[in-house]
Amino acid sequence: MTEIHCDAVLFDLDGVLVRSMELIERILREWAVGHGLDPDTCVALSHGRRDIDLVRLVAPHLDAEAETARITHREEREVSGLLPVPGALPLVAALPAHRWAVVTSGTGKVARARLAAAGVPRPTHLIAAEDITEGKPDPEGYLRAAGLLGTAPGRCAVVEDASAGIDAALAAGMHPIGLGDALRGSAQPLTAWVPDLRAITCLPAPDGLVLKVAT
């Protein structure tokens, strides 16, 4: 059991709170094939990145803003069948509204649609692609969330399922919790690793929160 003492918990969205990776990969693969790009490469490079950053990386010859708009248009509308990640609902319910936020590489409209479709409550603070100038692995999004919550970065725990997001959390000076198979045995200095959110219990503490992480 690992205990993390903190003031706030910051979550990535896709694959962390909402089981949306299958949908995301299908949309990206169809987009990649339509442009003659390798779909496996596009999917592998997409994890933790904003759509616009992915397009610039894999297809610098294309109009990044126009292509991002096409991808986002589909992401905003295709939300059927989305479910919460196991453990997401009780964990979020245990957190006071001023002690958690979502930092996502997707747009705010996509994030709100996915949260609603999965039945996950919308946080008071949601940092989306359009709210920052640099996406993960840059720490800007996580630092912005900490500022909005009035919390020192070193007192934030971050739950992420992608290496780019872990890098962002580490660069922000936060405590990263890796989630899912992609980060099992990661060489990155994780504070803890969990298969899903059922492994995390949140309790109030005199100095904020204590996360009990089953390891």
Side-chain angles (χ1 to χ4, degrees):
M1 179 75 70
T2 298
E3 289 193 359
I4 302 172
H5 292 261
C6 58
D7 290 328
V9 184
L10 311 180
F11 297 93
D12 180 35
L13 175 63
D14 297 297
V16 171
L17 291 176
V18 178
R19 295 173 63 178
S20 51
M21 299 312 295
E22 183 176 333
L23 172 63
I24 292 170
E25 290 189 9
R26 175 168 58 80
I27 292 173
L28 280 180
R29 286 180 183 280
E30 291 174 2
W31 173 81
V33 169
H35 288 287
L37 302 170
D38 178 59
D40 290 339
T41 298
C42 291
V43 167
L45 293 173
S46 71
H47 297 302
R49 285 191 169 91
R50 298 182 301 173
D51 289 333
I52 194 165
D53 295 328
L54 175 67
V55 174
R56 288 170 176 161
L57 181 63
V58 301
H61 58 288
L62 297 177
D63 183 329
E65 292 187 359
E67 295 305 320
T68 299
R70 291 188 180 94
I71 295 169
T72 301
H73 181 78
R74 289 193 61 187
E75 291 177 328
E76 290 172 353
R77 287 157 178 77
E78 298 184 25
V79 295
S80 62
L82 295 182
L83 297 170
V85 167
L89 298 183
L91 179 56
V92 167
L95 290 165
H98 65 289
R99 293 198 182 275
W100 72 286
V102 169
V103 180
T104 177
S105 297
T107 68
K109 189 171 182 179
V110 170
R112 289 188 290 271
R114 289 178 179 166
L115 287 167
V120 178
R122 186 190 302 182
T124 301
H125 298 296
L126 190 157
I127 309 303
E130 64 268 28
D131 299 317
I132 55 176
T133 56
E134 297 292 336
K136 303 170 188 177
D138 191 276
E140 181 184 352
Y142 281 122
L143 291 173
R144 181 175 173 84
L148 289 171
L149 292 171
T151 303
R155 292 287 296 174
C156 292
V158 173
V159 187
E160 269 282 357
D161 70 332
S163 294
I166 295 295
D167 283 341
L170 290 168
M174 300 178 178
H175 304 282
I177 301 173
L179 181 151
D181 290 340
L183 293 176
R184 186 194 297 268
S186 172
Q188 294 167 296
L190 302 177
T191 302
W193 175 87
V194 295
D196 59 49
L197 296 178
R198 290 174 292 188
I200 304 175
T201 303
C202 177
L203 299 171
D207 60 345
L209 302 170
V210 57
L211 302 182
K212 293 183 176 291
V213 185
T215 54

